[in-house]
Amino acid sequence: MTTTAPPPARTPPAPPVRSPLRRTLLRGGPLVPGVVLLVLFLAGPVLYSVYLAFTNRALRGEGSDTTSFVGLSNFTDALSSADFWNSIGLTLVFTVVSAIIGQNLLGMALALLMRNASRPVSAVTGAIVVGAWILPEVVVGYLWYTFLAGDGSLNALFGLVGLPDQELLTALPILAVSFANIWRGTAFTMLVYTAALAEIPTEVEEAARIDGAGPVQRFLQVTLPLIRRAIATNLMLITLQTLSVFGLIYVMTAGGPGTSSQTLPLFMYEQAFSYGQLGYGTAVALLLLLLGGAASLAYLRLLAKEDS
Amino acid sequence: MTVTSAPPVAADPAAPGPPLVAPGRRRRPGPADVVLLVIAAFFAIPLAWVVLASFDGEASLAVAWPSAPTLDNYAAVLNTDTTFRPMWNSVVLCGGATLVTVVCAVLAAYPLSRYRSRASRPFLLTIVFATGLPITAIMIPVYALFVQVNLVDSMPAAILFLATSALPHAIFLTKGFMDAVPVEIEEAAWTDGATTMRTLWSVVLPLMRPGVAVVTIFTLVQTWGNFFVPFMLLLTPDKLPAAVSLFTFSSQYGQVAYGQLAAFSILYSAPVVVLYLLLGRRLGSGFTATGGLKA
């Protein structure tokens, strides 16, 4: 968060006098390794995907021997395919349920509760929630598979309290993977909000308390406006993270049963590798990239605004 | 970025650190404690399964206390094919990628942090933009590209790609930590005639060691858990890291070996858990940044 004082103006360290060009080259030198990597392995593939998306490149069958331009047909194929729209819808559900509602609200609740809880309790809760976050995603996939499976932990618990068995993995798999993603991702939001809340001067809330504002009022009218930038940034970041979730869903349901949990990354993967249609898969990937790029741009504008 | 001025205030679940609540604010357990404990219990059930099942000779899908706790599951997976080689591959892949990322990030952050140039702001904004790009979306073109230049199944190429995917975030964080190092100290070094590299190595780096530790651990944990990149770019079973071999585990051993699956999951997760315990209270400094970073 921005503090009160502007960053101290940096005076460049007084360098020995050299010609301007030589100086620029010398100063920029340390950037070279990073820039080379970013150009080769990030910008390169992005540009290549723009080319590939307009071709019929395939791993086998037509397009595997000779690659030819097919214009926009990959895109028109996608936009007229029911499976594509199914995966768009599922991606939307997955992102809204698991990131924007689940991780965001639960993370905020945890951050707020931890301010009011006793220290041992918040330490234990924090450790468990962060523990869920640091586990590798394949492990999380297995944990949640076993938790939700027909004879898994959740049904065992439901049995104890007399609730009927759930079959979330087959009945509503998109919800199953969303819950897993909430479990895995909430710590991130919790940490961001905890950091943001810690930067609010206590006097501000104290003043509101003295003025007779209740807890809800204090939260809505004092706390929330003060951390709105953190909220916006966090929403952007968790949206981006959730858009690219692949391993978790792949391990839990592999997109199934059928295509009932096939989000965009899984759809893209299936088209490119199960069906060997690299060009078509890339076109879908490009749409995902554009979606992510738009969210990233919004994030950037937000940060730039912060700066000015 | 202001990670710096105050000691990082943030959730510190792992190690003893600054208290999250003002001392003395609430002594007796209140409603907040009860709600938190309920949430914690819910979060703990899937974790409890993996721990208990790994010690259970007859582990099933449901969480249960092992009737006869045993180390058999660990004994069964602790061999070259199942654990040692995949773990070593993970060390090579993720350790190599982290090394490349941190070195490149520190180098790149120095001019970005120290010199004002017309190019530095657009460059930094591009880096922030790249931070947000979904790497998942470029895996197919990367695979197609690697096929073209015959780099599929090459460990060095996978290392470099993994390193690049973590690089934008690493540069972003490192630059923030470097901004916190006062420039005056360097000016003394400059006056004494030290070169850029010399100054960076012996003046700036020692002063931002905690920041470099945060970036290193973040990068290592991120790459250690990454499944999609090695899943796409490496093919030979001998080269697969633990992330991918864990995925192929159930098909190799049949669906019933849940205890062994749990044991291997624990072995594979242990390094990242240890790293986070090491990071302890510094964990939060990466998040103060996220809340409101200056680009």
Side-chain angles (χ1 to χ4, degrees):
Chain A
M1 294 261 92
T2 43
T3 47
T4 44
R10 298 209 172 277
T11 41
V17 181
R18 297 195 188 95
S19 75
L21 179 66
R22 205 177 121 92
R23 202 183 63 180
T24 309
L25 286 179
L26 269 174
R27 285 180 168 186
L31 279 169
V32 171
V35 169
V36 167
L37 280 183
L38 289 171
V39 167
L40 279 182
F41 291 101
L42 203 62
V46 170
L47 291 177
Y48 191 61
S49 76
V50 176
Y51 156 78
L52 214 55
F54 292 94
T55 70
N56 66 347
R57 175 82 58 83
L59 290 173
R60 46 191 172 272
E62 194 193 344
S64 56
D65 300 330
T66 51
T67 306
S68 53
F69 274 97
V70 292
L72 284 169
S73 80
N74 285 328
F75 294 95
T76 51
D77 282 358
L79 295 176
S80 59
S81 140
D83 282 344
F84 173 76
W85 287 108
N86 169 57
S87 77
I88 289 274
L90 289 170
T91 308
L92 216 62
V93 171
F94 182 61
T95 309
V96 170
V97 170
S98 73
I100 295 174
I101 297 177
Q103 295 179 7
N104 187 43
L105 294 187
L106 188 57
M108 174 67 86
L110 283 166
L112 288 170
L113 285 167
M114 284 169 113
R115 294 208 307 171
N116 293 314
S118 68
R119 205 176 149 208
V121 171
S122 51
V124 167
T125 312
I128 293 174
V129 174
V130 171
W133 175 58
I134 60 179
L135 288 183
E137 66 175 332
V138 181
V139 174
V140 176
Y142 280 124
L143 289 192
W144 272 79
Y145 174 78
T146 62
F147 183 62
L148 293 175
D151 38 9
S153 302
L154 190 60
N155 279 341
L157 283 177
F158 275 18
L160 284 180
V161 293
L163 284 169
D165 275 10
Q166 51 78 29
E167 291 290 344
L168 212 53
L169 277 172
T170 45
L172 256 180
I174 192 66
L175 218 53
V177 293
S178 297
F179 286 154
N181 197 46
I182 294 174
W183 188 81
R184 174 172 145 82
T186 296
F188 181 86
T189 301
M190 180 188 83
L191 290 165
V192 170
Y193 289 166
T194 304
L197 288 173
E199 297 213 347
I200 300 178
T202 37
E203 302 86 55
V204 177
E205 286 176 321
E206 212 54 52
R209 196 201 306 267
I210 290 165
D211 287 350
V216 176
Q217 219 180 347
R218 274 206 307 275
F219 174 69
L220 290 179
Q221 296 184 357
V222 180
T223 315
L224 218 49
L226 281 172
I227 60 167
R228 65 182 190 283
R229 289 229 188 280
I231 294 174
T233 313
N234 181 58
L235 280 176
M236 218 77 73
L237 289 176
I238 59 178
T239 301
L240 285 164
Q241 284 162 9
T242 306
L243 276 180
S244 21
V245 170
F246 176 85
L248 183 71
I249 304 178
Y250 196 63
V251 168
M252 280 181 74
T253 67
T259 56
S260 52
S261 58
Q262 196 178 55
T263 56
L264 218 44
L266 281 105
F267 177 73
M268 161 197 105
Y269 176 81
E270 186 181 66
Q271 295 303 324
F273 292 98
S274 304
Y275 303 143
Q277 300 300 313
L278 281 182
Y280 183 59
T282 306
V284 175
L286 200 61
L287 293 172
L288 181 64
L289 199 66
L290 288 176
L291 216 61
S296 191
L297 214 59
Y299 168 49
L300 193 68
R301 287 184 63 94
L302 209 80
L303 286 182
K305 214 187 258 173
E306 178 94 351
D307 199 18
S308 57
Chain B
M1 170 171 157
T2 50
V3 220
T4 56
S5 41
V9 232
D12 174 19
L20 283 165
V21 289
R25 198 193 233 173
R26 190 182 290 258
R27 297 278 182 212
R28 277 171 295 131
D33 296 275
V34 179
V35 180
L36 273 186
L37 285 176
V38 170
I39 299 177
F42 175 74
F43 265 79
I45 299 171
L47 289 175
W49 176 82
V50 73
V51 175
L52 294 177
S54 74
F55 294 109
D56 192 337
E58 287 131 23
S60 69
L61 285 170
V63 61
W65 197 261
S67 47
T70 166
L71 289 174
D72 289 356
N73 292 322
Y74 288 96
V77 295
L78 279 176
N79 56 60
T80 308
D81 281 344
T82 314
T83 300
F84 300 134
R85 194 175 44 223
M87 290 287 267
W88 172 246
N89 290 338
S90 282
V91 169
V92 172
L93 179 70
C94 306
T98 303
L99 189 71
V100 172
T101 301
V102 173
V103 168
C104 289
V106 168
L107 286 174
Y110 189 69
L112 290 174
S113 169
R114 289 306 188 240
Y115 306 122
R116 285 249 177 269
S117 135
R118 254 169 305 164
S120 64
R121 188 173 162 79
F123 184 82
L124 206 60
L125 292 179
T126 311
I127 292 291
V128 179
F129 178 69
T131 309
L133 284 185
I135 294 296
T136 307
I138 63 167
M139 285 318 294
I140 291 172
V142 165
Y143 178 83
L145 204 59
F146 274 29
V147 169
Q148 293 282 304
V149 290
N150 209 10
L151 281 177
V152 171
D153 205 24
S154 146
M155 188 61 113
I159 289 175
L160 288 179
F161 179 75
L162 201 57
T164 311
S165 70
L167 193 55
H169 192 218
I171 293 180
F172 192 42
L173 280 178
T174 313
K175 192 242 171 204
F177 288 120
M178 207 177 272
D179 283 347
V181 178
V183 79
E184 291 73 25
I185 304 170
E186 271 158 275
E187 280 165 354
W190 281 103
T191 342
D192 291 346
T195 62
T196 310
M197 282 301 139
R198 180 99 215 132
T199 317
L200 175 59
W201 179 253
S202 45
V203 179
V204 184
L205 268 187
L207 286 171
M208 54 177 293
R209 214 174 283 150
V212 174
V214 169
V215 176
T216 307
I217 292 182
F218 265 46
T219 309
L220 200 52
V221 171
Q222 191 189 331
T223 50
W224 189 265
N226 193 313
F227 165 74
F228 205 26
V229 171
F231 181 61
M232 297 280 280
L233 299 183
L234 297 173
L235 305 172
T236 317
D238 283 359
K239 292 181 185 168
L240 295 181
V244 183
S245 75
L246 176 61
F247 176 70
T248 50
F249 189 94
S250 51
S251 49
Q252 274 169 14
Y253 291 82
Q255 286 291 336
V256 276
Y258 289 114
Q260 294 179 25
L261 183 76
F264 185 45
S265 297
I266 295 228
L267 291 170
Y268 164 45
S269 310
V272 286
V273 175
V274 171
L275 282 174
Y276 263 106
L277 292 178
L278 284 179
L279 201 56
R281 77 181 71 174
R282 282 200 223 110
L283 175 60
S285 56
F287 287 88
T288 321
T290 314
L293 241 231
K294 299 208 160 208

